[in-house]
Amino acid sequence: MTHDIALQRNSISMRDRILQDQSFGIVALLVFAIIIMTIVEPSFATSGNVTNIINAMMTVSFLAIGMTVVLIAGGIDLSVGSIMAVTAGVAGKFISYGMNMSLAFICALVVGVCIGLINGLLITKLGIPDFIATLAMLGIGQGVILFWTQGVPILGYMNDAYYYIGGLKKIVGPISIPMIVVVVISIIMAIILNRTNFGLKLYAVGSSPISARNAGVSVDFMKISAYAISGFLAAIAGIHIAGRTTTIPPLIGKGYEISAIAAAVIGGASLLGGKGRVIGALIGALTLTLTRNIINLVGIASSWQAIVIGTVLIGAVLANRASSEFGRKLNRRTKSRT
């Protein structure tokens, strides 16, 4: 009897945890959409289409994880698309000039971190609002890459190794290098956010900067670090997308800042700060990528695509909110019965 009651309590507790999870609603919608598309559109579940979805998701995932870190710290980074474009250009151009590929990647990563640091310094030391500072950096980045390339796509940098970096060639079966990199970065960032003092301080700064400062946390340092991490991950996205597209148009990063913000928010990050998870960023990236893929397969006109994606964003946020609220109510009922 006692054993049965314990099992029932454990079962209820597990159910509560699942329903309380802020990603439960969007995961349910994703599963539903995948089932419907598999039935309605035979080409959806083909290996080629799945590969396209995964490759496209990788780019957004890097940006979304970095954006989640910034949102947790109470900021926002509108420059990630431009950072991605600039760093892709640095990697591609330097390789085409004959530089060793690894060294070119290091240069791209350094550029990404430096731009992130500049964003953080503008915000913390000069007091420029996050939105304005990163919006200005977005314009500067687009101007730099346009001036540098004179509007001509960057070519001549691809080699056999870069096809693996871009995920166009697999290393073992369906496994590609970008998949491994995303998994490794996700694990590292999840550990940093959830298991270290740095992560605890980051959430504290986003929740209440004044309280965090009164507790001895260096708010400026935490914010600058968040933007540096975002710049670093945007540079990784730039290196990846250069290999995935095999050419680098000057406006290759245009619109990706919206995708990064949308993916982070869909995954449960708050624009008010102090809330967000790495797994949520990945779920958000998959949701956006899957939505665009379905739009293309169904043949929705380009004029309607932005409307559909915006609607999905609103629906995803509402689904997350509904699942969280339902879980809280269920948990209160369970506690009152106990």
Side-chain angles (χ1 to χ4, degrees), residues 204-234:
V205 168
S207 299
S208 176
I210 296 176
S211 298
R213 185 175 284 109
N214 291 337
V217 177
S218 176
V219 174
D220 288 357
F221 174 78
M222 298 308 298
K223 276 187 167 288
I224 293 171
S225 299
Y227 281 100
I229 291 171
S230 179
F232 177 79
L233 292 175

PDB file of all heavy atoms in Angstrom, residues 204-234:
ATOM      1  N   ALA A 204      20.886  36.608 -12.183  1.00  0.00           N
ATOM      2  CA  ALA A 204      20.633  37.644 -11.180  1.00  0.00           C
ATOM      3  C   ALA A 204      20.650  39.031 -11.805  1.00  0.00           C
ATOM      4  O   ALA A 204      19.792  39.876 -11.510  1.00  0.00           O
ATOM      5  CB  ALA A 204      21.669  37.553 -10.059  1.00  0.00           C
ATOM      6  N   VAL A 205      21.609  39.273 -12.694  1.00  0.00           N
ATOM      7  CA  VAL A 205      21.709  40.576 -13.361  1.00  0.00           C
ATOM      8  C   VAL A 205      20.478  40.830 -14.218  1.00  0.00           C
ATOM      9  O   VAL A 205      19.931  41.939 -14.237  1.00  0.00           O
ATOM     10  CB  VAL A 205      22.992  40.632 -14.227  1.00  0.00           C
ATOM     11  CG1 VAL A 205      22.963  41.842 -15.151  1.00  0.00           C
ATOM     12  CG2 VAL A 205      24.221  40.683 -13.335  1.00  0.00           C
ATOM     13  N   GLY A 206      20.022  39.796 -14.937  1.00  0.00           N
ATOM     14  CA  GLY A 206      18.842  39.966 -15.772  1.00  0.00           C
ATOM     15  C   GLY A 206      17.573  40.141 -14.978  1.00  0.00           C
ATOM     16  O   GLY A 206      16.661  40.872 -15.392  1.00  0.00           O
ATOM     17  N   SER A 207      17.482  39.482 -13.826  1.00  0.00           N
ATOM     18  CA  SER A 207      16.273  39.579 -12.999  1.00  0.00           C
ATOM     19  C   SER A 207      16.171  40.926 -12.300  1.00  0.00           C
ATOM     20  O   SER A 207      15.110  41.548 -12.269  1.00  0.00           O
ATOM     21  CB  SER A 207      16.266  38.455 -11.961  1.00  0.00           C
ATOM     22  OG  SER A 207      16.256  37.190 -12.576  1.00  0.00           O
ATOM     23  N   SER A 208      17.295  41.380 -11.732  1.00  0.00           N
ATOM     24  CA  SER A 208      17.297  42.668 -11.034  1.00  0.00           C
ATOM     25  C   SER A 208      18.725  43.192 -10.943  1.00  0.00           C
ATOM     26  O   SER A 208      19.479  42.798 -10.042  1.00  0.00           O
ATOM     27  CB  SER A 208      16.704  42.516  -9.630  1.00  0.00           C
ATOM     28  OG  SER A 208      16.787  43.732  -8.929  1.00  0.00           O
ATOM     29  N   PRO A 209      19.109  44.068 -11.859  1.00  0.00           N
ATOM     30  CA  PRO A 209      20.479  44.597 -11.848  1.00  0.00           C
ATOM     31  C   PRO A 209      20.838  45.302 -10.540  1.00  0.00           C
ATOM     32  O   PRO A 209      21.961  45.181 -10.057  1.00  0.00           O
ATOM     33  CB  PRO A 209      20.487  45.590 -13.019  1.00  0.00           C
ATOM     34  CG  PRO A 209      19.348  45.174 -13.892  1.00  0.00           C
ATOM     35  CD  PRO A 209      18.322  44.598 -12.981  1.00  0.00           C
ATOM     36  N   ILE A 210      19.874  46.007  -9.967  1.00  0.00           N
ATOM     37  CA  ILE A 210      20.143  46.740  -8.730  1.00  0.00           C
ATOM     38  C   ILE A 210      20.429  45.770  -7.585  1.00  0.00           C
ATOM     39  O   ILE A 210      21.399  45.932  -6.827  1.00  0.00           O
ATOM     40  CB  ILE A 210      18.955  47.650  -8.380  1.00  0.00           C
ATOM     41  CG1 ILE A 210      18.784  48.725  -9.453  1.00  0.00           C
ATOM     42  CG2 ILE A 210      19.164  48.302  -7.013  1.00  0.00           C
ATOM     43  CD1 ILE A 210      17.577  49.612  -9.251  1.00  0.00           C
ATOM     44  N   SER A 211      19.587  44.749  -7.461  1.00  0.00           N
ATOM     45  CA  SER A 211      19.797  43.754  -6.402  1.00  0.00           C
ATOM     46  C   SER A 211      21.116  43.019  -6.599  1.00  0.00           C
ATOM     47  O   SER A 211      21.840  42.740  -5.641  1.00  0.00           O
ATOM     48  CB  SER A 211      18.638  42.758  -6.384  1.00  0.00           C
ATOM     49  OG  SER A 211      17.428  43.413  -6.092  1.00  0.00           O
ATOM     50  N   ALA A 212      21.415  42.689  -7.875  1.00  0.00           N
ATOM     51  CA  ALA A 212      22.672  41.995  -8.157  1.00  0.00           C
ATOM     52  C   ALA A 212      23.868  42.858  -7.794  1.00  0.00           C
ATOM     53  O   ALA A 212      24.847  42.377  -7.195  1.00  0.00           O
ATOM     54  CB  ALA A 212      22.727  41.617  -9.642  1.00  0.00           C
ATOM     55  N   ARG A 213      23.799  44.147  -8.115  1.00  0.00           N
ATOM     56  CA  ARG A 213      24.903  45.058  -7.778  1.00  0.00           C
ATOM     57  C   ARG A 213      25.045  45.194  -6.261  1.00  0.00           C
ATOM     58  O   ARG A 213      26.160  45.226  -5.734  1.00  0.00           O
ATOM     59  CB  ARG A 213      24.660  46.424  -8.426  1.00  0.00           C
ATOM     60  CG  ARG A 213      25.816  47.399  -8.222  1.00  0.00           C
ATOM     61  CD  ARG A 213      25.610  48.696  -8.968  1.00  0.00           C
ATOM     62  NE  ARG A 213      25.855  48.544 -10.403  1.00  0.00           N
ATOM     63  CZ  ARG A 213      24.908  48.563 -11.334  1.00  0.00           C
ATOM     64  NH1 ARG A 213      23.641  48.717 -10.980  1.00  0.00           N
ATOM     65  NH2 ARG A 213      25.206  48.426 -12.598  1.00  0.00           N
ATOM     66  N   ASN A 214      23.922  45.261  -5.564  1.00  0.00           N
ATOM     67  CA  ASN A 214      23.971  45.355  -4.104  1.00  0.00           C
ATOM     68  C   ASN A 214      24.551  44.091  -3.472  1.00  0.00           C
ATOM     69  O   ASN A 214      25.107  44.135  -2.367  1.00  0.00           O
ATOM     70  CB  ASN A 214      22.571  45.609  -3.543  1.00  0.00           C
ATOM     71  CG  ASN A 214      22.047  46.992  -3.885  1.00  0.00           C
ATOM     72  OD1 ASN A 214      22.832  47.907  -4.165  1.00  0.00           O
ATOM     73  ND2 ASN A 214      20.732  47.158  -3.886  1.00  0.00           N
ATOM     74  N   ALA A 215      24.408  42.968  -4.190  1.00  0.00           N
ATOM     75  CA  ALA A 215      24.950  41.700  -3.686  1.00  0.00           C
ATOM     76  C   ALA A 215      26.416  41.515  -4.049  1.00  0.00           C
ATOM     77  O   ALA A 215      27.007  40.478  -3.753  1.00  0.00           O
ATOM     78  CB  ALA A 215      24.133  40.536  -4.236  1.00  0.00           C
ATOM     79  N   GLY A 216      27.011  42.520  -4.685  1.00  0.00           N
ATOM     80  CA  GLY A 216      28.432  42.461  -5.018  1.00  0.00           C
ATOM     81  C   GLY A 216      28.751  41.938  -6.391  1.00  0.00           C
ATOM     82  O   GLY A 216      29.916  41.692  -6.712  1.00  0.00           O
ATOM     83  N   VAL A 217      27.722  41.768  -7.253  1.00  0.00           N
ATOM     84  CA  VAL A 217      27.946  41.279  -8.613  1.00  0.00           C
ATOM     85  C   VAL A 217      28.352  42.443  -9.507  1.00  0.00           C
ATOM     86  O   VAL A 217      27.752  43.524  -9.462  1.00  0.00           O
ATOM     87  CB  VAL A 217      26.673  40.615  -9.170  1.00  0.00           C
ATOM     88  CG1 VAL A 217      26.884  40.165 -10.619  1.00  0.00           C
ATOM     89  CG2 VAL A 217      26.276  39.423  -8.306  1.00  0.00           C
ATOM     90  N   SER A 218      29.374  42.226 -10.335  1.00  0.00           N
ATOM     91  CA  SER A 218      29.791  43.255 -11.295  1.00  0.00           C
ATOM     92  C   SER A 218      28.850  43.196 -12.499  1.00  0.00           C
ATOM     93  O   SER A 218      29.030  42.379 -13.402  1.00  0.00           O
ATOM     94  CB  SER A 218      31.241  43.015 -11.738  1.00  0.00           C
ATOM     95  OG  SER A 218      31.605  43.946 -12.737  1.00  0.00           O
ATOM     96  N   VAL A 219      27.838  44.039 -12.473  1.00  0.00           N
ATOM     97  CA  VAL A 219      26.813  44.023 -13.518  1.00  0.00           C
ATOM     98  C   VAL A 219      27.419  44.325 -14.883  1.00  0.00           C
ATOM     99  O   VAL A 219      27.102  43.677 -15.890  1.00  0.00           O
ATOM    100  CB  VAL A 219      25.688  45.027 -13.184  1.00  0.00           C
ATOM    101  CG1 VAL A 219      24.688  45.116 -14.344  1.00  0.00           C
ATOM    102  CG2 VAL A 219      24.979  44.612 -11.900  1.00  0.00           C
ATOM    103  N   ASP A 220      28.305  45.314 -14.936  1.00  0.00           N
ATOM    104  CA  ASP A 220      28.921  45.682 -16.213  1.00  0.00           C
ATOM    105  C   ASP A 220      29.710  44.512 -16.797  1.00  0.00           C
ATOM    106  O   ASP A 220      29.607  44.216 -17.996  1.00  0.00           O
ATOM    107  CB  ASP A 220      29.855  46.879 -16.027  1.00  0.00           C
ATOM    108  CG  ASP A 220      29.094  48.168 -15.787  1.00  0.00           C
ATOM    109  OD1 ASP A 220      27.843  48.136 -15.828  1.00  0.00           O
ATOM    110  OD2 ASP A 220      29.742  49.209 -15.551  1.00  0.00           O
ATOM    111  N   PHE A 221      30.488  43.845 -15.969  1.00  0.00           N
ATOM    112  CA  PHE A 221      31.282  42.705 -16.446  1.00  0.00           C
ATOM    113  C   PHE A 221      30.391  41.597 -16.977  1.00  0.00           C
ATOM    114  O   PHE A 221      30.692  40.991 -18.016  1.00  0.00           O
ATOM    115  CB  PHE A 221      32.156  42.165 -15.317  1.00  0.00           C
ATOM    116  CG  PHE A 221      32.900  40.901 -15.679  1.00  0.00           C
ATOM    117  CD1 PHE A 221      34.043  40.953 -16.458  1.00  0.00           C
ATOM    118  CD2 PHE A 221      32.442  39.661 -15.245  1.00  0.00           C
ATOM    119  CE1 PHE A 221      34.717  39.786 -16.810  1.00  0.00           C
ATOM    120  CE2 PHE A 221      33.103  38.492 -15.585  1.00  0.00           C
ATOM    121  CZ  PHE A 221      34.250  38.556 -16.368  1.00  0.00           C
ATOM    122  N   MET A 222      29.292  41.305 -16.300  1.00  0.00           N
ATOM    123  CA  MET A 222      28.400  40.237 -16.725  1.00  0.00           C
ATOM    124  C   MET A 222      27.742  40.577 -18.063  1.00  0.00           C
ATOM    125  O   MET A 222      27.623  39.722 -18.944  1.00  0.00           O
ATOM    126  CB  MET A 222      27.326  39.975 -15.667  1.00  0.00           C
ATOM    127  CG  MET A 222      27.867  39.509 -14.313  1.00  0.00           C
ATOM    128  SD  MET A 222      28.984  38.084 -14.428  1.00  0.00           S
ATOM    129  CE  MET A 222      27.880  36.863 -15.111  1.00  0.00           C
ATOM    130  N   LYS A 223      27.348  41.830 -18.215  1.00  0.00           N
ATOM    131  CA  LYS A 223      26.722  42.228 -19.487  1.00  0.00           C
ATOM    132  C   LYS A 223      27.726  42.187 -20.640  1.00  0.00           C
ATOM    133  O   LYS A 223      27.420  41.710 -21.735  1.00  0.00           O
ATOM    134  CB  LYS A 223      26.119  43.630 -19.359  1.00  0.00           C
ATOM    135  CG  LYS A 223      24.723  43.651 -18.745  1.00  0.00           C
ATOM    136  CD  LYS A 223      24.133  45.038 -18.808  1.00  0.00           C
ATOM    137  CE  LYS A 223      22.639  45.019 -18.507  1.00  0.00           C
ATOM    138  NZ  LYS A 223      21.837  44.431 -19.583  1.00  0.00           N
ATOM    139  N   ILE A 224      28.921  42.698 -20.388  1.00  0.00           N
ATOM    140  CA  ILE A 224      29.952  42.662 -21.430  1.00  0.00           C
ATOM    141  C   ILE A 224      30.270  41.218 -21.810  1.00  0.00           C
ATOM    142  O   ILE A 224      30.423  40.894 -22.995  1.00  0.00           O
ATOM    143  CB  ILE A 224      31.227  43.388 -20.939  1.00  0.00           C
ATOM    144  CG1 ILE A 224      30.964  44.888 -20.782  1.00  0.00           C
ATOM    145  CG2 ILE A 224      32.386  43.157 -21.914  1.00  0.00           C
ATOM    146  CD1 ILE A 224      32.091  45.646 -20.113  1.00  0.00           C
ATOM    147  N   SER A 225      30.344  40.343 -20.817  1.00  0.00           N
ATOM    148  CA  SER A 225      30.616  38.929 -21.086  1.00  0.00           C
ATOM    149  C   SER A 225      29.510  38.304 -21.929  1.00  0.00           C
ATOM    150  O   SER A 225      29.781  37.507 -22.825  1.00  0.00           O
ATOM    151  CB  SER A 225      30.750  38.168 -19.761  1.00  0.00           C
ATOM    152  OG  SER A 225      31.818  38.665 -18.998  1.00  0.00           O
ATOM    153  N   ALA A 226      28.254  38.660 -21.632  1.00  0.00           N
ATOM    154  CA  ALA A 226      27.126  38.110 -22.386  1.00  0.00           C
ATOM    155  C   ALA A 226      27.221  38.501 -23.860  1.00  0.00           C
ATOM    156  O   ALA A 226      27.009  37.672 -24.758  1.00  0.00           O
ATOM    157  CB  ALA A 226      25.811  38.601 -21.787  1.00  0.00           C
ATOM    158  N   TYR A 227      27.555  39.763 -24.126  1.00  0.00           N
ATOM    159  CA  TYR A 227      27.670  40.209 -25.522  1.00  0.00           C
ATOM    160  C   TYR A 227      28.891  39.599 -26.206  1.00  0.00           C
ATOM    161  O   TYR A 227      28.861  39.329 -27.412  1.00  0.00           O
ATOM    162  CB  TYR A 227      27.711  41.734 -25.587  1.00  0.00           C
ATOM    163  CG  TYR A 227      26.355  42.366 -25.438  1.00  0.00           C
ATOM    164  CD1 TYR A 227      25.942  42.901 -24.223  1.00  0.00           C
ATOM    165  CD2 TYR A 227      25.460  42.393 -26.496  1.00  0.00           C
ATOM    166  CE1 TYR A 227      24.682  43.458 -24.063  1.00  0.00           C
ATOM    167  CE2 TYR A 227      24.199  42.953 -26.361  1.00  0.00           C
ATOM    168  CZ  TYR A 227      23.813  43.471 -25.143  1.00  0.00           C
ATOM    169  OH  TYR A 227      22.560  44.012 -24.992  1.00  0.00           O
ATOM    170  N   ALA A 228      29.958  39.364 -25.459  1.00  0.00           N
ATOM    171  CA  ALA A 228      31.134  38.706 -26.034  1.00  0.00           C
ATOM    172  C   ALA A 228      30.800  37.267 -26.427  1.00  0.00           C
ATOM    173  O   ALA A 228      31.210  36.783 -27.487  1.00  0.00           O
ATOM    174  CB  ALA A 228      32.288  38.730 -25.043  1.00  0.00           C
ATOM    175  N   ILE A 229      30.038  36.579 -25.578  1.00  0.00           N
ATOM    176  CA  ILE A 229      29.617  35.208 -25.894  1.00  0.00           C
ATOM    177  C   ILE A 229      28.723  35.204 -27.122  1.00  0.00           C
ATOM    178  O   ILE A 229      28.865  34.353 -28.013  1.00  0.00           O
ATOM    179  CB  ILE A 229      28.881  34.591 -24.688  1.00  0.00           C
ATOM    180  CG1 ILE A 229      29.854  34.354 -23.539  1.00  0.00           C
ATOM    181  CG2 ILE A 229      28.195  33.282 -25.074  1.00  0.00           C
ATOM    182  CD1 ILE A 229      29.182  33.942 -22.236  1.00  0.00           C
ATOM    183  N   SER A 230      27.817  36.167 -27.204  1.00  0.00           N
ATOM    184  CA  SER A 230      26.940  36.271 -28.367  1.00  0.00           C
ATOM    185  C   SER A 230      27.753  36.507 -29.641  1.00  0.00           C
ATOM    186  O   SER A 230      27.481  35.907 -30.692  1.00  0.00           O
ATOM    187  CB  SER A 230      25.937  37.407 -28.166  1.00  0.00           C
ATOM    188  OG  SER A 230      25.084  37.546 -29.290  1.00  0.00           O
ATOM    189  N   GLY A 231      28.749  37.385 -29.557  1.00  0.00           N
ATOM    190  CA  GLY A 231      29.604  37.645 -30.719  1.00  0.00           C
ATOM    191  C   GLY A 231      30.393  36.421 -31.132  1.00  0.00           C
ATOM    192  O   GLY A 231      30.553  36.133 -32.325  1.00  0.00           O
ATOM    193  N   PHE A 232      30.880  35.674 -30.143  1.00  0.00           N
ATOM    194  CA  PHE A 232      31.630  34.445 -30.420  1.00  0.00           C
ATOM    195  C   PHE A 232      30.765  33.418 -31.142  1.00  0.00           C
ATOM    196  O   PHE A 232      31.179  32.833 -32.145  1.00  0.00           O
ATOM    197  CB  PHE A 232      32.148  33.872 -29.104  1.00  0.00           C
ATOM    198  CG  PHE A 232      32.874  32.560 -29.247  1.00  0.00           C
ATOM    199  CD1 PHE A 232      34.187  32.523 -29.688  1.00  0.00           C
ATOM    200  CD2 PHE A 232      32.241  31.361 -28.942  1.00  0.00           C
ATOM    201  CE1 PHE A 232      34.859  31.309 -29.835  1.00  0.00           C
ATOM    202  CE2 PHE A 232      32.897  30.148 -29.072  1.00  0.00           C
ATOM    203  CZ  PHE A 232      34.215  30.118 -29.522  1.00  0.00           C
ATOM    204  N   LEU A 233      29.541  33.225 -30.654  1.00  0.00           N
ATOM    205  CA  LEU A 233      28.652  32.245 -31.279  1.00  0.00           C
ATOM    206  C   LEU A 233      28.161  32.725 -32.648  1.00  0.00           C
ATOM    207  O   LEU A 233      27.941  31.916 -33.547  1.00  0.00           O
ATOM    208  CB  LEU A 233      27.469  31.960 -30.353  1.00  0.00           C
ATOM    209  CG  LEU A 233      27.833  31.224 -29.063  1.00  0.00           C
ATOM    210  CD1 LEU A 233      26.632  31.082 -28.148  1.00  0.00           C
ATOM    211  CD2 LEU A 233      28.416  29.848 -29.376  1.00  0.00           C
ATOM    212  N   ALA A 234      28.010  34.040 -32.809  1.00  0.00           N
ATOM    213  CA  ALA A 234      27.652  34.569 -34.124  1.00  0.00           C
ATOM    214  C   ALA A 234      28.780  34.331 -35.127  1.00  0.00           C
ATOM    215  O   ALA A 234      28.540  34.071 -36.313  1.00  0.00           O
ATOM    216  CB  ALA A 234      27.337  36.062 -34.025  1.00  0.00           C
TER     217      ALA A 234
END
